[in-house]
Amino acid sequence: MYRSIRIVRIVISLIAMGVPTWALVAGYDSVFVRMQILTALLSGVAVCLIFWAVVTLVYGRIYCSTVCPMGTLMDCVSAAGRYARRQRSAYRYRREARRTRAVFLMLFFVSLLVGGTIIPTLLDPYSAYARMVEELLARPLGHAETPVRFAVASMAVACATALVVLAFAWRQGRLLCNSLCPIGTLLGFGARRSYFHIEIDPDRCINCGECERVCKASCIKLPEKTVDTSRCVVCFNCTAVCPDGAIAYKSGRYRLDMPMMQALDGGGSSSQSCKNLNE
C-alpha cells in the first residue's frame, strides 16, 4: 500500500513542479503561485494560511513533499546523485540544527516586519525556484521581462542558488529544507504535533536500518526508534522499504508497559515493551 502511496505522491509533486515551471517560462499566471505561503503572507490571504496550517496539523509537512517545487527539485537531484554514484540512498540520522533554524526563521520574519522583501524572497523556496526558472530557462528562451539593469544581479543570485541547491541535495537530500528554509521550520512547529505522522512499532522493528537509510530528511533515530516529525516531509520512503511493516503513517503513539531503562550517551542498552495507544 505504501509503495502505491509513495508513487502517487511523486506524481503529484512532479505535476506541482512542472505546471508552475511551464507557467513561468510561458509567462502565464499559475494557481500554484497563490498557494505559496510567502505569497499569502505578503498579500494577506488568510484563507491560504489557515488552509496550510490545518493541513499541517492533520497530515504533517505535506506541503514540503508535494507542493513545494524546490523540494521536488532537491529530490530529483538527490535521485540523480544516487544513480550517478551507482548506489542506493545512504542517509543517516542527523541532529536537528535548532539554532540555525531559529536564526533564519527570525531573520525571515524580522525582514517582513520592517517591510523588506529581499531576504524573505531569497530564503523562500518558491521565490528562489521561480528566480532560477526565470533566469536560467525563461531568459535564454527570450521570455524574461526583468529590466536589463537588474539582469546581471538576478542571474548571479539565481546561479548561486542553483549551485547551493545542487551541491547539498546531491548527497544530503533535504538538509537545506531542515536547516535554512524558514517555511519548513514554520511548518515544522505544526508537524511536531500533527494528527497523522510516521511512527515506528518497536515490537516489530528488527533494526535493519532500511528506514534510516532512505530518510532524506535524516530524521529517523533508529536506536531509540523515534521520528522527528518536525523535520519529516512525509515522503513515504521509509514506509515503502520496511520489510516487516514496523513503520507506518498513523495517528496515536506507542507507550511503554513498564518503565524503560534509558541508555547513557556512549553505551548501555535498553529493553522495552510497547503497545499501541489505539489498541
Side-chain angles (χ1 to χ4, degrees), residues 6-278:
R6 177 175 176 269
I7 292 174
V8 171
R9 183 203 63 77
I10 292 174
V11 171
I12 294 175
S13 66
L14 290 174
I15 294 174
M17 181 178 72
V19 171
T21 300
W22 171 81
L24 287 167
V25 172
Y28 293 109
D29 187 22
S30 171
V31 67
F32 285 95
V33 177
R34 294 187 290 274
M35 293 177 63
Q36 303 306 315
I37 294 177
L38 179 60
T39 302
L41 283 171
L42 293 176
S43 59
V45 182
V47 174
C48 183
L49 296 176
I50 294 174
F51 171 78
W52 284 121
V54 172
V55 168
T56 304
L57 286 171
V58 176
Y59 300 107
R61 289 174 58 179
I62 295 294
Y63 170 90
C64 300
S65 62
T66 57
V67 178
C68 178
M70 181 66 84
T72 302
L73 175 62
M74 290 180 183
D75 292 343
C76 293
V77 172
S78 177
R82 295 195 304 273
Y83 178 80
R85 297 192 299 272
R86 295 185 178 181
Q87 67 182 30
R88 296 185 299 171
S89 311
Y91 300 117
R92 290 293 181 267
Y93 174 79
R94 184 183 294 108
R95 295 182 63 181
E96 179 187 4
R98 290 188 178 183
R99 292 183 179 179
T100 303
R101 298 178 81 184
V103 167
F104 278 91
L105 182 63
M106 184 179 299
L107 183 63
F108 179 80
F109 277 108
V110 169
S111 299
L112 287 177
L113 290 174
V114 299
T117 58
I118 295 179
I119 292 178
T121 54
L122 286 174
L123 296 177
D124 174 60
Y126 180 80
S127 300
Y129 180 81
R131 186 182 302 107
M132 289 192 299
V133 171
E134 290 174 347
E135 296 300 328
L136 303 181
L137 287 179
R139 185 172 295 283
L141 294 175
H143 295 159
E145 299 180 356
T146 307
V148 176
R149 63 180 181 276
F150 296 124
V152 175
S154 185
M155 176 66 76
V157 173
C159 290
T161 302
L163 289 175
V164 171
V165 170
L166 290 173
F168 278 90
W170 187 263
R171 286 185 176 274
Q172 304 298 331
R174 290 294 192 103
L175 178 62
L176 290 179
C177 292
N178 289 323
S179 298
L180 307 184
C181 179
I183 303 301
T185 300
L186 183 64
L187 295 176
F189 289 121
R192 195 181 297 274
R193 294 289 183 269
S194 61
Y195 182 74
F196 292 104
H197 52 271
I198 299 296
E199 186 81 3
I200 300 176
D201 185 348
D203 292 333
R204 291 187 178 183
C205 180
I206 59 174
N207 292 310
C208 66
E210 288 296 296
C211 58
E212 184 179 11
R213 180 183 62 79
V214 300
C215 180
K216 57 195 176 188
S218 298
C219 65
I220 297 179
K221 195 172 186 179
L222 195 56
E224 285 78 7
K225 297 178 177 57
T226 59
V227 179
D228 183 356
T229 54
S230 73
R231 291 186 288 155
C232 174
V233 294
V234 199
C235 64
F236 297 105
N237 284 359
C238 57
T239 56
V241 300
C242 182
D244 294 283
I247 186 165
Y249 182 63
K250 61 184 290 296
S251 61
R253 300 281 182 180
Y254 292 97
R255 66 182 180 184
L256 298 174
D257 282 336
M258 60 185 67
M260 180 176 63
M261 300 298 295
Q262 295 286 358
L264 298 177
D265 291 340
S269 61
S270 63
S271 61
Q272 61 181 24
S273 174
C274 303
K275 69 178 182 180
N276 195 320
L277 284 173
N278 292 332

